[in-house]
Amino acid sequence: MHILCHRGVEYRNKKLGKSEIRLVCATRPHIQRVVGIGFQPGFDPAKIVSASQTGDIQFLDFRNQSDAYLTIDAHRGSLTALAVHRHAPIVASGSAKQLVKVFSLEGDQLGTVRYHPTFMAQKIGPVSCLAFHPFQVMLAAGAADSFVTLYADDSILAR
């Protein structure tokens, strides 16, 4: 399966052994450039999460060709990265305004990492990419200031 982004979202299913690619579904849930996309955790390949530069995160089910079934206004006009955890029911978004937000699949905000200009505080630059660890609830963030940071839940750090 392949997902291609260009002013919208296309979901393609490529059959193994054949060079034919058939368009399964296409939609345009955003008004600006798509900056991130990922499959939701679980075994349902029709559900994806898509994020646009305007700051909205859309939860889409391609079996239902209408509007998104959930929209999160995560950032105001500065969303630059999206990560969807492979197994845990969470998504993370990053912005050019030095901010990372973590949400549940129901749209509840679970946490925030932001820039603090104090001497001992954690610092984060404008976020350029995000990635979850495939099996643990750990989030890596890459920033425009060339820093890579790793974030984890307190329960993981206590081990």
Side-chain angles (χ1 to χ4, degrees):
M1 290 183 212
H2 297 279
I3 296 180
L4 306 172
C5 299
H6 178 69
R7 301 196 70 172
V9 178
E10 294 181 8
Y11 175 74
R12 294 180 183 239
N13 187 357
K14 181 179 179 182
K15 295 180 180 179
L16 296 175
K18 293 186 178 181
S19 61
E20 179 182 323
I21 297 176
R22 182 177 62 90
L23 177 65
V24 175
C25 183
T27 185
R28 190 174 182 182
H30 305 286
I31 59 172
Q32 286 277 334
R33 181 172 71 101
V34 175
V35 296
I37 194 163
F39 286 98
Q40 286 189 27
F43 298 104
D44 194 346
K47 289 188 175 182
I48 65 169
V49 180
S50 175
S52 84
Q53 192 173 20
T54 58
D56 62 313
I57 300 173
Q58 304 278 345
F59 290 74
L60 307 165
D61 186 341
F62 280 113
R63 293 169 297 199
N64 180 5
Q65 303 249 342
S66 63
D67 294 333
Y69 65 88
L70 177 63
T71 299
I72 301 171
D73 292 321
H75 304 271
R76 290 196 174 103
S78 64
L79 199 146
T80 55
L82 176 78
V84 181
H85 198 282
R86 186 184 301 177
H87 301 289
I90 55 174
V91 299
S93 61
S95 82
K97 296 179 181 174
Q98 301 168 301
L99 185 65
V100 173
K101 294 182 180 179
V102 179
F103 297 93
S104 71
L105 294 182
E106 290 78 37
D108 300 320
Q109 187 171 331
L110 303 175
T112 303
V113 177
R114 66 181 69 224
Y115 177 81
H116 295 286
T118 62
F119 175 68
M120 295 296 287
Q122 60 189 1
K123 299 196 182 227
I124 185 170
V127 179
S128 58
C129 58
L130 293 169
F132 277 108
H133 186 281
F135 303 109
Q136 296 184 27
V137 184
M138 296 177 72
L139 177 66
D145 60 3
S146 73
F147 277 90
V148 174
T149 53
L150 186 62
Y151 302 96
D153 189 285
D154 290 337
S155 62
I156 290 178
L157 297 176
R159 291 182 193 170

